[in-house]
Each structure stands twice: as C-alpha cells, then as structure tokens.
Amino acid sequence: MTSSRRTVLAGLASAAFVPAKIYARSSTTLRQALDAATATDPDEALRLLAPFDAHALQPGDRLDLTTARAGLAIDAAIARSAFGRTGRSPYRVTPTTGAWKAARPEQARIDADTAAILTDAAVGIILPRLSLDRTVDALRSAPANPAIDRQIAALESLRDTAPSAPGFGRFKGGTDWYALQLQRSLGTMTPAYAERRLLVELNRLHARAKHLFDEIGASRGTVAARYAKLWQDERFLYPDTSAGRAEAIGDMNRMLATARDKIPSAFGKVPSWCLNASARALSPREITTGRGGYREVPTPSRPGAYVVDLKDIRRRPRWTLRSVVAHELLPGHMIQLGLEGATPPHPLRIEYASSFVEGWGIYAEQLAEKAGAYADPYDALGHTHWLLFRVARALVDLGIHLHGWSIEQARARLTEWQGQPAYFAPFDSELARIPLEPGTRVAEAMAWLAIADNSRNTWATSYHRSLLLAGRKRV
C-alpha cells in the first residue's frame, strides 16, 4: 500500500463499524469529476481529477479518488501500448461479452464491435482458435439478427490466422501488457513476485494436505489421488433428493450459527444487520432455468443470503461446505459487501479494486480457521482444497499467458495440484475463461495473500476494520 493509504487505514482502525453515520456521500464536485472521468479517455480523466487534494477528503471519497487515479494511470499506459484496449480483457467479443449479449441487442453496437474485431486483428489481437470457435457457437445460439450474422462472418474470416494456443506471452509486448493488467485491479505487484509467492503457498498447502491425510489414515498416493478418493467417500455425500438438499442447507446454517458467534473476536462490534444472513437452496424454478448459486447482500432493512447451487449435490461432500459458509456468508462477503453497500464506492473504485472482493472472501476462510472452524481434519481438508483451487488456477493463469502452456498442459497441472475441480469451476470451464481474462485469477489470489501476509504483523480487530470500512481498496 502507499503511505497515504496507510494513513487512511490507521485513521480508520479505531473506528466502530457504523459507516452510514461516519461517512457522508461524496461531495458533488468530486462525484461529478469522477463521473466525467468514467466517460473519457484515461489521460483526460487524470487531468479532470488532478485538482483534488486527497488529504482534504473523507476516507471514502479519498479512496474513490486515489483508486481512480491509480487505475487510470495503468489504463493510460495500456492505451499507449501495442494493444491499446483498456478493460478486463483485450477481446471485444467472447462467449459472454459484447453488444450481442445486451438484453436488447442493437445492430449498430454489434456492428461497432465487429469493426473493432477487424481493427484489432490488424495488429494481431485475435481470439485463440478454441475461444474463437466457442464464440461463434455462442453467437449462433442467439436470436436471429443480421448484425450477429455479420459478426459471425467476421470471426470466421479470422479462423485461419487465429493462434492455435492461448496466452499473451506470444504477442510483442504481451508480457508487459500482462503486468499492467495485473496491476490494474490489484496494485503494485509484478508477475514474477506473484508466481514466487503462489508457489510457496502451493507447497505449504500440499504439505498441509499430506499431514491431514496422514491424520485420517489415508497416507498412500499423491495429494491429488487422495482427494479424488475422499470425494467418493459415501460417509460425506448427501442423497440426491429433496431431503438430501435440505440436510445440506441445515448443516450450512448450523455452521453459520457457530461462525456468527466468533465475529466479535475478529471485528469487535459489527452492525447486527451484517450478520443477518442464511444459506438456502435454489428454488425449483431457478434450477429449471439453469441458474447457479448467488448472493443477496444484507442491508439494514433486508436479510442477506447465499443461495446455494446443489443441483449436483453428490459433488458437494459435507467437508467442503464449512469453507463455503466462511467465504460466502460469515465472516466473508456478507460483512464485506454489506458494509460496502452502506456507502457505495464510485464505479471507478469498483473497477480498479475489483480483486479485493474475492481476496477478502478467501481470507475469510482463513479467519474461520483461526477461530477453530476446521478442528475436524476432514473440514480442514475441505478448507485446504478450496485454497489449492485458488492457487492452482492463478498459477495456470500465469502459465498460459507468460509461459506458453497449452490448454492440455494447463489441465494436467490443475489435475496434479487439485485432484478434483471446485464444484462451480470444472476444469473445462476454467480453461475456457482464463485465456479470455488475463491476470484476473492471479489478482484475486494475490489480493488474498496480500491481506493474509499483512495480517501477521498487526492487531487483528483494528486490521479488519481498516480493511472493510469505506469499502474495497487496492492492496
């Protein structure tokens, strides 16, 4: 963190969790400047924000300003690079992004995307072949639209020149662009440092898993093989029935009640509405429509919830759920997003500190460990596997984009490191997303590790307040 941000955090450390009373809305002048900055190019946006003195602002406004400046400076550098495109992905259109995905797709906007695809191709920015084929398949599944037909034709015209392997290291200047992308949503950090830190954590987690497996009498085979076997242990699997799903939800809410009792020791006084949350299952209608799990963030007038995807309940052993409760409910997203919602950050801060949210959720799993949540070695193995999942996909992100790994090589590493995929992130799904979102998985994992590493040298309650008051921040 910068020295000015440390000053902000130190000032917040002694405050109670009452954000609605402490922080006023952003001043009209600053808010107008931030809104204008959103609508222009990064260099002009930085000029618009230059007159403001961060030290004269309330903490929330100060974070809006300093975060916007930091992110816009990165975007200005990206805009001057060979790629030129700012945002979370250099690709204009993918299976999940582009004007074609709008609720009411407009032909003019889709055609603008198509023109941009061809402009990008002229400087070598073309979807990897597998991603291009998936994008075309997705476009063909959309409602009939002449502009989408034109977009399909443009993408198909690029197929012969599309790279056969994913990754940005193959582009001229690609490694520099990747480094900027990592800093865009995180803060000052190099890919080389991130990789070293992630490998240290991978080794620590594998050693921890081996110890836990030995403790339960499963001492043979690799960590991956032992996890694969444990996943099939009928003692921990819920029946694929309504009663089985109800049992899983009941278990999660009992875990949540225990977690709720531990909150004061880590945070001090927290608004009661932040703790007013529960787990519940997807409704039959949501299951029919294919909806996945989602959050409902608590407010002073509405309880929060984590709505759990239990469609394939046989892939959710009981020992994997305690970490889910910590991450999604308490002390995870319900507190962090609940407090943030009381004094919402400007959209620019949301954009340029995006990795903090998942970073906090992962750190919350470790907070639960400190509170004794994983005293049972099976629960501890579940916790360890969730962390392995975060580390493994971050290392695969680096492997694909900086080391030229093929999809097959990346899948082999995920299998070697994790054994089993996380419930909501099958290997194929992750390997379809990572090539299109360079640096995202690394930023999320490193946000967690930065929070965890800093927590070792500070008083826990004040540290957690400083992290959560005034909302997300770059780390």
Side-chain angles (χ1 to χ4, degrees):
M1 295 185 185
T2 65
S3 58
S4 61
R5 192 166 295 116
R6 287 196 185 97
T7 303
V8 173
L9 300 187
L12 291 172
S14 61
F17 277 117
V18 284
K21 295 181 181 178
I22 290 180
Y23 305 119
R25 300 283 295 178
S26 295
S27 68
T28 302
T29 303
L30 175 62
R31 176 66 58 160
Q32 289 174 341
L34 288 166
D35 289 345
T38 305
T40 189
D41 67 85
D43 286 319
E44 175 61 22
L46 288 167
R47 284 192 287 272
L48 291 172
L49 299 180
F52 293 91
D53 178 5
H55 297 288
L57 298 172
Q58 292 282 354
D61 295 343
R62 189 182 309 167
L63 279 171
D64 280 346
L65 178 62
T66 57
T67 302
R69 282 174 170 167
L72 287 165
I74 296 296
D75 270 349
I78 291 174
R80 290 190 291 271
S81 73
F83 301 99
R85 175 166 168 73
T86 60
R88 300 188 189 187
S89 174
Y91 300 117
R92 311 283 175 154
V93 177
T94 73
T96 58
T97 62
W100 75 278
K101 289 291 292 182
R104 295 182 178 178
E106 299 178 19
Q107 291 198 31
R109 290 181 179 273
I110 296 171
D111 283 334
D113 276 352
T114 301
I117 287 169
L118 296 173
T119 300
D120 289 345
V123 294
I125 303 175
I126 305 173
L127 283 164
R129 191 169 300 151
L130 182 59
S131 300
L132 188 149
D133 289 343
R134 285 173 171 155
T135 302
V136 168
D137 289 343
L139 287 165
R140 284 181 173 143
S141 70
N145 185 322
I148 289 179
D149 292 340
R150 291 191 287 272
Q151 193 159 97
I152 290 171
L155 287 167
E156 289 185 323
S157 74
L158 300 173
R159 193 177 187 284
D160 288 344
T161 54
S164 58
F168 272 77
R170 56 190 165 78
F171 290 129
K172 183 179 180 181
T175 55
D176 293 337
W177 181 91
Y178 186 93
L180 289 171
Q181 191 68 11
L182 180 60
Q183 294 176 34
R184 188 178 185 271
S185 68
L186 181 64
T188 304
M189 187 173 294
T190 66
Y193 171 79
E195 187 165 37
R196 288 195 302 272
R197 180 65 185 87
L198 288 162
L199 286 170
V200 167
E201 195 65 16
L202 179 71
N203 290 332
R204 184 189 76 82
L205 291 169
H206 275 160
R208 174 66 172 152
K210 287 176 183 176
H211 172 78
L212 290 166
F213 276 118
D214 289 346
E215 188 176 338
I216 65 171
S219 57
R220 306 179 95 180
T222 64
V223 167
R226 287 187 255 185
Y227 267 120
K229 185 175 180 180
L230 182 60
W231 229 275
Q232 307 305 317
D233 192 325
E234 287 287 341
R235 293 176 296 166
F236 305 101
L237 300 182
Y238 295 99
D240 189 5
T241 62
S242 296
R245 289 173 177 80
E247 182 184 356
I249 293 296
D251 283 346
M252 291 182 74
N253 280 319
R254 281 187 288 276
M255 296 169 187
L256 177 61
T258 303
R260 190 178 288 111
D261 292 340
K262 304 287 187 181
I263 295 301
S265 65
F267 296 92
K269 186 177 180 180
V270 177
S272 58
W273 53 266
C274 282
L275 310 182
N276 184 14
S278 63
R280 72 170 192 262
L282 291 166
S283 70
R285 184 175 183 279
E286 288 172 327
I287 292 174
T288 300
T289 60
R291 186 167 191 180
Y294 62 94
R295 307 173 192 125
E296 293 178 348
V297 178
T299 71
S301 60
R302 185 192 67 198
Y306 178 52
V307 184
V308 192
D309 179 355
L310 297 174
K311 290 189 291 289
D312 191 6
I313 195 170
R314 300 286 286 176
R315 286 216 67 256
R316 298 208 91 152
R318 186 192 183 282
W319 48 267
T320 66
L321 296 182
R322 199 172 285 274
S323 262
V324 175
V325 169
H327 185 111
E328 296 292 348
L329 289 156
L330 300 176
H333 291 312
M334 295 296 119
I335 294 179
Q336 181 257 317
L337 291 173
L339 288 169
E340 181 175 272
T343 53
H346 188 273
L348 282 176
R349 175 147 56 112
I350 291 173
E351 176 69 14
Y352 294 132
S354 59
S355 61
F356 180 90
V357 176
E358 273 305 287
W360 173 263
I362 304 166
Y363 175 68
E365 299 173 41
Q366 291 187 305
L367 268 184
E369 181 178 29
K370 292 178 181 179
Y374 316 122
D376 183 297
Y378 290 98
D379 289 335
L381 280 164
H383 168 58
T384 302
H385 188 269
W386 279 113
L387 298 185
L388 279 171
F389 154 63
R390 305 291 179 175
V391 170
R393 69 176 181 173
L395 285 167
V396 163
D397 189 330
L398 288 160
I400 286 173
H401 291 292
L402 296 188
H403 302 315
W405 291 0
S406 67
I407 294 298
E408 292 72 23
Q409 288 173 311
R411 183 183 287 104
R413 294 297 178 90
L414 288 176
T415 302
E416 174 191 348
W417 291 332
Q418 286 178 237
Q420 290 288 310
Y423 178 84
F424 59 84
F427 291 156
D428 284 346
S429 297
E430 285 298 292
L431 293 172
R433 293 177 64 189
I434 289 172
L436 304 179
E437 301 171 359
T440 298
R441 303 297 165 238
V442 181
E444 290 172 351
M446 292 310 298
W448 149 47
L449 290 172
I451 293 169
D453 290 348
N454 286 332
S455 74
R456 295 170 186 167
N457 301 311
T458 188
W459 181 41
T461 302
S462 63
Y463 179 61
H464 299 146
R465 286 176 176 169
S466 72
L467 282 171
L468 298 189
L469 278 173
R472 70 189 69 194
K473 47 190 63 69
R474 292 162 68 80
V475 297

